[in-house]
Amino acid sequence: MSERRAYLYRGVGETVGVVTLDGRPERLIATWDGDDPLDVEGVRGVARIRKIEKAFASAFVQLPGGQDVLLPLRPDMPKLVEGGLVEIEIRTPSRRDKSAVARLIGEGEGEPRVLEPAFTVDQQLRLLVKSGSPTGGEAALQAVEAAEAEALETIFALPGGGDISIEPTRALVAVDVDLGAREGLDAKRAARQANMAALGVAARVLRLKGLGGIVVFDLVGRGHDGQALSTAARNAFSVDNPGVAIGAISRFGTLEMTIPRRGRSILDRLLDARGEANPAAVARRVARALEREGRADPGGRLVARCAPAVAESFTTLDAGVADRLGRRFVVEAVAGWPVERIEVSAT
């Protein structure tokens, strides 16, 4: 039987939660100081209709102080008018190039306002893992850093041999299954076991990365047992319901499915728009490393070296780290260093 555990880390400028499945990271949830509290799944409120786009069957609505939110229109909805009020719930937070999406609850009354804020990271963890309080402290920090490292990987080993690659594009997420070396099995049986294992690993990793939408598996081998693979896929992705839809295996050996997006991908925090390390995320790694070294050497002077862009991002965290450690550290920018490189040591 599978076991899930929850970890909660409260760092400088961030609160991060991790859920593990049988010891491997399955979910990574992060909030940073300065996040828009209205751009989060689950926020409910009364919003004003700013504009109706009949050609796209959509309306743009705003909560007070918030950005435009897309509200898809359906024929069974009451008639909406620009300037009117509706009660909405944020269904999908915004992404880099797309607005947040809301669902209509009903007609709004009174003034535009927030009726219900989003769940905190702690509350989300308790909903996902119903086994008491999340673990904190050093164990939580280790879980966060392990989860971040795995979320940034592309290739993932399969139990028994082989691997999968998971690569998001603008249109879909591609999952390529590689048979690798599965000793002692005939080719058809080896392919079947690799494909079955790929579904379980991919389900966990997609949740970890926070990816959804259209997902296409390029299965290995030929002559697939469509019923068995579809059943395995339904089981692997059952926790992502409601909203998972699984198609038939094509004659090209691909399995397509759709997985609902319910949150912002953690990759949007860890990477920039070019897919490279985000200086703001790396600056938080610097803050964690300083805390770790500070605990190991309570009286020592600490030096952190990093790329200039990371050092600049760290300025927003500097006071918070000083509150925890005292003013016994310096952060040095090293020209030419890649963004992801950091070094922290005691002097």
Side-chain angles (χ1 to χ4, degrees):
M1 182 137 180
S2 296
E3 179 187 38
R4 286 185 169 88
R5 293 186 177 182
Y7 299 85
L8 180 64
Y9 172 70
R10 301 184 190 277
V12 177
E14 64 177 351
T15 301
V16 189
V18 174
V19 174
T20 61
L21 174 62
D22 296 331
R24 301 299 301 274
E26 181 190 35
R27 296 185 190 270
L28 180 56
I29 308 165
T31 61
W32 289 358
D33 291 356
D35 283 352
D36 183 351
L38 301 180
D39 189 14
V40 185
E41 178 196 6
V43 172
R44 291 182 59 182
V46 175
R48 190 173 300 282
I49 302 170
R50 191 183 64 80
K51 187 175 184 181
I52 295 177
E53 295 282 0
K54 293 183 179 179
F56 301 102
S58 300
F60 289 99
V61 302
Q62 285 182 331
L63 290 168
Q67 302 296 316
D68 276 355
V69 176
L70 183 69
L71 176 64
L73 303 179
R74 300 191 312 270
D76 60 343
M77 283 183 177
K79 185 177 180 180
L80 305 182
V81 296
E82 292 183 2
L85 297 175
V86 288
E87 186 175 337
I88 62 166
E89 180 181 69
I90 302 299
R91 188 179 66 188
T92 307
S94 65
R95 290 180 283 156
R96 284 200 178 98
D97 55 351
K98 295 187 178 181
S99 300
V101 178
R103 72 177 183 91
L104 180 70
I105 296 176
E107 296 183 6
E109 297 180 350
E111 292 298 319
R113 64 198 185 278
V114 174
L115 299 174
E116 188 174 319
F119 287 135
T120 65
V121 174
D122 191 355
Q123 290 171 325
Q124 292 180 66
L125 291 175
R126 292 173 188 270
L127 287 171
L128 292 167
V129 182
K130 301 175 178 65
S131 59
S133 300
T135 300
E138 185 65 26
L141 175 55
Q142 292 176 5
V144 167
E145 298 200 325
E148 282 192 0
E150 187 160 347
L152 292 170
E153 296 291 336
T154 300
I155 307 296
F156 302 87
L158 298 177
D163 57 49
I164 57 172
S165 68
I166 298 180
E167 299 182 81
T169 70
R170 290 189 65 178
L172 52 83
V173 180
V175 182
D176 181 55
V177 186
D178 192 323
L179 184 61
R182 285 179 173 261
E183 299 179 359
L185 299 175
D186 62 81
K188 187 170 184 178
R189 186 179 177 190
R192 174 188 171 91
Q193 290 189 1
N195 289 328
M196 291 287 194
L199 291 168
V201 173
R204 177 183 66 81
V205 173
L206 289 172
R207 288 192 285 271
L208 173 64
K209 291 175 177 281
L211 297 175
I214 299 173
V215 179
V216 180
F217 284 79
D218 183 8
L219 302 171
V220 67
R222 298 181 180 181
H224 303 291
D225 184 340
Q227 183 175 355
L229 285 170
S230 294
T231 298
R234 284 194 295 271
N235 291 335
F237 290 91
S238 61
V239 298
D240 300 299
N241 276 313
V244 176
I246 300 171
I249 297 175
S250 76
R251 64 190 182 94
F252 302 109
T254 59
L255 173 64
E256 296 184 24
M257 65 177 63
T258 58
I259 303 171
R261 293 188 180 96
R262 295 194 174 91
R264 183 182 294 110
S265 170
I266 194 65
L267 299 181
D268 286 352
R269 289 195 186 275
L270 302 181
L271 303 174
D272 63 17
R274 298 171 297 176
E276 299 176 358
N278 179 4
V282 179
R284 283 158 174 78
R285 287 176 49 207
V286 172
R288 297 175 204 157
L290 284 168
E291 276 201 77
R292 187 185 300 108
E293 289 292 334
R295 287 195 298 270
D297 187 358
R301 303 287 299 178
L302 307 173
V303 177
R305 297 178 177 85
C306 57
V310 176
E312 182 177 355
S313 292
F314 184 85
T315 58
T316 62
L317 309 174
D318 182 88
V321 176
D323 285 343
R324 296 193 177 195
L325 296 180
R327 185 56 68 183
R328 59 187 180 99
F329 64 91
V330 294
V331 176
E332 298 178 352
V334 184
W337 273 24
V339 170
E340 63 271 17
R341 180 178 177 183
I342 66 172
E343 291 182 3
V344 177
S345 59
T347 60

